[in-house]
Amino acid sequence: SGALSMWGDRMWHFAISVFLIELYGRNLLLTAVFGLVVAGSVLMFGALIGDWVDRNPRNKVAHASLFVQNISVTICSIVLMLVFSYKQRIEQIWDGWLTVVCYTVVIVLADVANLASTALTIAIQRDWIVVITGYNRGHLAGMNATMRRIDQVTNILAPLAVGQVMTLASNVVGCGFILGWNLVSLIVEFFFLSRVYRIVPALSAKPPSVAVDQAYLQRIERKRLQGMNCSLEGNCNSSLHLKEITDLPLCFRRFRWLVSTCKDGWMAYYRQPVFLAGMGLAFLYTTVLGFDCITTGYAYTQGISGSLLSLLMGVSAITGLMGTIMFTRLRKAYGLVNTGIISSCLHLGCLLLCVCSVFAPGSPMDLSLLMPDITSNSSTPLLPDRSSIHWTNNTVLFDNVPSGTAPESYISIILLFLGVITARIGLWSFDLTVTQLLQENICESERGVVNGVQSSMNYLMDLLHFIMVISAPQPQHFGILVIISVFFITTGHTMYFLYAHKLKEDRKELINSRGSV
């Protein structure tokens, strides 16, 4: 079920980016809007999604998330097929405003599908597998590593599969392929999840859900009872405040409950003993040192061909798989916390090659370009000419790149990709370490909401890395982005080191206290 879900997600995430560019005249505006909407929605509703996962039975959460995700993608694919088929006719209706409505519907449906996918990921990969493995740490580590290996393989093969369909046929056929896949996948995944739920009785053992209004009023009542040691006047004010809340209209009570749930979710995340480890993982998202469109686009400006980039992405997937294998062996030999320390050191050590690439021969870094040229009268267009774009997996290749753009030396770009590829061993091992720490140390009643907040933090730090690129978009600025990325990654690993140090100090105090007794 996880393999089917990840395959569908990877296909859809790749295809929707291409579709949005094709819809808007091969311009990146719609893709940028979609990225901001997706990141913003998870940032806002991550805690609410996690709380919903906590409050409802596991089978209902999984089935509802699966249904909403696949149906949203299916409807979105139908809308895209209609827009691609009748684009010229649609542009003539309502003076072109129908086109805007179609764009909005596509982005909203794709965003709903992403939110449902987030809920499904929290439910299955953060909760179900903990129960399925019987809280056995060794089995849990193996399950996490297996899921990550599936994710690495699908990250390469799924975009390649749908990309071939879109290239050999058309965008309409590509939409139809995704539509059919989601309908079939919905049925198969629904059957698999139901089967797992039946053969693992522990999955049905979960505290019953509480109504929205009742839960909010109970929370207010608990706060009132906690203040019983205050003065009599304070108690009277608390009772009056509770009465004012109960007299509010239903819509206002629900809104206040939503705000209170978000606040309590973030506070619960902060109270967790693994808070620093989770924050450290989130900081790793503020980086340009990955195989996304930014890094691969920069590589193309440095004379790297699309075929070579595809080959490098395959090699990076292999090193990612090596990271999952290393995680299971290190955890068995040195323990989970020490595995995170070793993975952090390996990750940072490999990224030093990326820092060296900034100052190596062939690096295009030019700090003078950061200063605006006030004396120049020439105006630079907001968007460059993207009249001819080819897509090779996640890479944007421009036909109109001027000749002679190859660097004087390839030492810089070689060091950059050598560092990025080898660093993925430590990166995925560290990611699995923090994931299992969150699974083991968060109580069952808060597992969903805390992981929802963790997803929000990841998206927040991911937004920062896009802001970095917007602030310094030229290839000559990329070296600065590399240094800033390494700084954020170092900060994240430092947070994990602090967590590990605090954990060891707490264990020493516990041992000493037992010895004195």
Side-chain angles (χ1 to χ4, degrees):
S1 177
L4 289 172
S5 178
M6 293 176 192
W7 185 282
D9 283 346
R10 296 299 185 181
M11 280 203 314
W12 175 245
H13 288 159
F14 171 74
I16 188 63
S17 300
V18 180
F19 290 154
L20 290 176
I21 288 180
E22 291 290 340
L23 282 178
Y24 205 65
R26 300 197 171 188
N27 189 295
L28 296 178
L29 179 61
L30 274 185
T31 306
V33 171
F34 172 67
L36 289 175
V37 169
V38 166
S41 60
V42 176
L43 181 61
M44 291 177 59
F45 303 119
L48 294 176
I49 292 173
D51 181 74
W52 176 73
V53 172
D54 285 333
R55 288 189 297 105
N56 291 276
R58 289 188 173 96
N59 61 334
K60 291 185 177 180
V61 168
H63 291 160
S65 302
L66 180 64
F67 181 81
V68 172
Q69 178 192 8
N70 285 268
I71 294 302
S72 298
V73 173
T74 300
I75 298 175
C76 190
S77 298
I78 295 174
V79 174
L80 285 169
M81 292 175 69
L82 294 174
V83 173
F84 280 126
S85 300
Y86 305 101
K87 186 175 181 180
Q88 294 182 351
R89 188 176 304 176
I90 292 175
E91 290 176 349
Q92 297 174 357
I93 301 176
W94 299 346
D95 295 330
W97 282 103
L98 183 59
T99 305
V100 178
V101 173
C102 293
Y103 294 161
T104 304
V105 170
V106 168
I107 291 176
V108 170
L109 287 173
D111 184 48
V112 171
N114 184 76
L115 291 175
S117 176
T118 301
L120 187 62
T121 300
I122 293 173
I124 303 299
Q125 298 187 28
R126 302 295 184 267
D127 182 31
W128 277 45
I129 66 172
V130 180
V131 180
I132 291 171
T133 55
Y135 297 89
N136 183 294
R137 295 183 177 182
H139 293 165
L140 182 59
M143 181 73 80
N144 286 328
T146 300
M147 296 294 284
R148 192 51 49 87
R149 289 166 194 159
I150 295 173
D151 183 60
Q152 288 293 301
V153 173
T154 56
N155 190 28
I156 298 298
L157 298 181
L160 185 62
V162 71
Q164 291 298 318
V165 173
M166 294 162 56
T167 301
L168 298 176
S170 64
N171 289 328
V172 176
V173 176
C175 292
F177 177 75
I178 293 175
L179 187 153
W181 176 275
N182 276 272
L183 291 178
V184 175
S185 178
L186 171 62
I187 298 173
V188 178
E189 289 182 61
F190 192 93
F191 171 78
F192 283 166
L193 291 177
S194 300
R195 173 75 174 160
V196 171
Y197 187 80
R198 286 196 302 269
I199 64 178
V200 183
L203 289 172
S204 59
K206 192 175 183 180
S209 59
V210 183
V212 171
D213 295 332
Q214 182 183 355
Y216 179 62
L217 293 177
Q218 286 178 354
R219 191 178 298 141
I220 297 297
E221 181 67 18
R222 285 198 300 269
K223 292 180 180 179
R224 187 183 70 83
L225 293 176
Q226 289 173 359
M228 289 296 288
N229 58 346
C230 299
S231 62
L232 179 62
E233 181 181 358
N235 285 332
C236 292
N237 290 336
S238 180
S239 299
L240 289 174
H241 180 61
L242 180 62
K243 185 177 184 300
E244 290 175 359
I245 291 174
T246 56
D247 291 339
L248 287 173
L250 178 61
C251 59
F252 286 102
R253 289 208 305 269
R254 289 183 179 273
F255 177 75
R256 294 189 63 158
W257 175 82
L258 292 175
V259 175
S260 179
T261 299
C262 289
K263 178 183 175 183
D264 289 348
W266 284 90
M267 292 300 296
Y269 179 72
Y270 177 74
R271 291 195 306 268
Q272 299 301 317
V274 291
F275 165 72
L276 283 175
M279 284 293 294
L281 178 62
F283 266 69
L284 267 59
Y285 280 76
T286 309
T287 178
V288 296
L289 300 175
F291 277 89
D292 57 4
C293 58
I294 295 170
T295 305
T296 51
Y298 166 77
Y300 185 73
T301 64
Q302 299 305 297
I304 305 299
S305 65
S307 59
L308 180 57
L309 282 173
S310 299
L311 179 62
L312 292 175
M313 291 185 69
V315 176
S316 72
I318 295 174
T319 57
L321 293 174
M322 291 171 58
T324 63
I325 297 172
M326 187 184 75
F327 163 75
T328 55
R329 295 185 177 181
L330 287 178
R331 192 209 65 83
K332 187 179 297 184
Y334 302 103
L336 188 61
V337 176
N338 290 332
T339 297
I341 295 175
I342 297 172
S343 302
S344 296
C345 295
L346 178 60
H347 188 206
L348 289 173
C350 294
L351 290 181
L352 290 178
L353 294 173
C354 300
V355 177
C356 293
S357 72
V358 176
F359 308 99
S363 174
M365 188 174 71
D366 187 358
L367 297 179
S368 64
L369 292 180
L370 287 175
M371 303 300 295
D373 189 3
I374 304 177
T375 60
S376 176
N377 295 324
S378 61
S379 59
T380 304
L382 181 62
L383 291 171
D385 179 18
R386 303 180 184 272
S387 58
S388 183
I389 296 180
H390 297 295
W391 286 84
T392 304
N393 208 346
N394 290 327
T395 309
V396 184
L397 307 181
F398 299 94
D399 277 351
N400 53 358
V401 174
S403 58
T405 56
E408 297 178 358
S409 174
Y410 287 96
I411 295 178
S412 176
I413 196 68
I414 290 174
L415 287 175
L416 175 68
F417 276 97
L418 187 62
V420 170
I421 291 173
T422 55
R424 294 176 76 84
I425 301 176
L427 170 63
W428 289 119
S429 180
F430 179 79
D431 181 272
L432 286 170
T433 300
V434 177
T435 297
Q436 184 154 342
L437 285 172
L438 293 172
Q439 291 169 333
E440 292 182 0
N441 293 277
I442 300 173
C443 63
E444 183 178 348
S445 60
E446 293 182 329
R447 193 175 291 153
V449 68
V450 172
N451 279 285
V453 175
Q454 180 68 49
S455 297
S456 298
M457 282 300 307
N458 295 344
Y459 272 93
L460 174 62
M461 303 308 292
D462 193 40
L463 273 177
L464 290 181
H465 117 267
F466 282 110
I467 293 174
M468 285 165 40
V469 177
I470 293 173
S471 303
Q474 299 297 328
Q476 293 82 359
H477 303 156
F478 193 78
I480 301 173
L481 300 182
V482 169
I483 295 174
I484 296 175
S485 298
V486 173
F487 170 77
F488 271 94
I489 292 172
T490 304
T491 303
H493 286 305
T494 302
M495 290 181 178
Y496 182 83
F497 294 151
L498 293 175
Y499 160 76
H501 177 73
K502 183 176 182 301
L503 186 63
K504 291 183 179 180
E505 291 295 325
D506 292 342
R507 287 178 179 175
K508 287 182 181 178
E509 291 181 4
L510 181 61
I511 293 173
N512 293 334
S513 62
R514 288 179 177 177
S516 61
V517 172

